């Protein structure tokens, strides 16, 4: 199965930026996987932020933080990154990396729902405060 480990969360001041990392293992390369970033904020369900399949062959970053996130990949490190800027208090929450085997339709017309991905990391907390 696809194993995912997130890192990079923490405290950020309003207006700041952050980068989160998701390292893929379990015998899968980025070419073989689709990775998506979701977040869970207070009072809201799990929201998709961005996704990448096949080491960047298909990407989307038009999720809940459209215009403030980008997704990038490092195949040598088998790691997908989420970069987010202009953070506000509403961005406080738990950020999750999710993944699945690369398959048609995943991270295609949209990021997909949380149910579209079968494997999840443990999450990393992001707190935006002054």
């Amino acid at each position: 199965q696809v194993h995912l480990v997130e890192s990079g969360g923490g405290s950020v001041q309003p207006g700041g930026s952050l980068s989160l990392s998701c390292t893929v293992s379990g015998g899968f390369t980025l070419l073989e996987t689709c990775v998506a970033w979701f977040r869970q904020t207070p009072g809201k369900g799990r929201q998709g932020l961005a996704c990448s399949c096949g080491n960047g062959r298909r990407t989307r970053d038009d999720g809940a933080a459209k215009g403030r996130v980008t997704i990038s990949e490092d195949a040598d490190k088998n790691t997908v990154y989420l970069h987010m800027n202009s953070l506000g208090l509403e961005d406080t929450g738990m950020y999750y990396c999710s993944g699945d085997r690369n398959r048609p339709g995943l991270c295609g017309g949209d990021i997909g729902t949380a149910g579209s991905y079968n494997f999840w990391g443990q999450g990393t907390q992001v707190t935006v405060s002054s």
Side-chain angles (χ1 to χ4, degrees):
Q1 66 181 41
V2 180
H3 188 57
L4 307 153
V5 177
E6 304 101 330
S7 62
S11 295
V12 183
Q13 290 191 334
S17 62
L18 61 78
S19 291
L20 304 178
S21 302
C22 175
T23 300
V24 177
S25 61
F28 292 90
T29 67
L30 293 189
L31 268 178
E32 299 166 316
T33 58
C34 289
V35 174
W37 285 97
F38 286 80
R39 70 179 182 187
Q40 184 95 42
T41 58
K44 295 187 178 179
R46 203 162 284 194
Q47 301 173 307
L49 297 171
C51 60
S52 172
C53 285
N55 193 27
R57 283 166 172 71
R58 298 195 306 279
T59 65
R60 298 199 68 92
D61 58 10
D62 54 352
K66 182 180 178 180
R68 297 191 293 121
V69 300
T70 56
I71 192 166
S72 63
E73 306 81 14
D74 185 334
D76 291 338
K77 296 182 179 179
N78 231 33
T79 297
V80 176
Y81 302 93
L82 180 76
H83 311 280
M84 192 168 177
N85 56 46
S86 300
L87 271 77
L89 301 179
E90 69 278 8
D91 293 313
T92 293
M94 189 69 79
Y95 284 67
Y96 296 93
C97 172
S98 62
D100 213 318
R101 292 174 181 259
N102 190 353
R103 63 179 188 271
L106 203 55
C107 191
D110 55 37
I111 295 169
T113 65
S116 302
Y117 300 87
N118 287 309
F119 304 103
W120 291 79
Q122 79 286 356
T124 185
Q125 177 69 35
V126 172
T127 302
V128 182
S129 68
S130 54

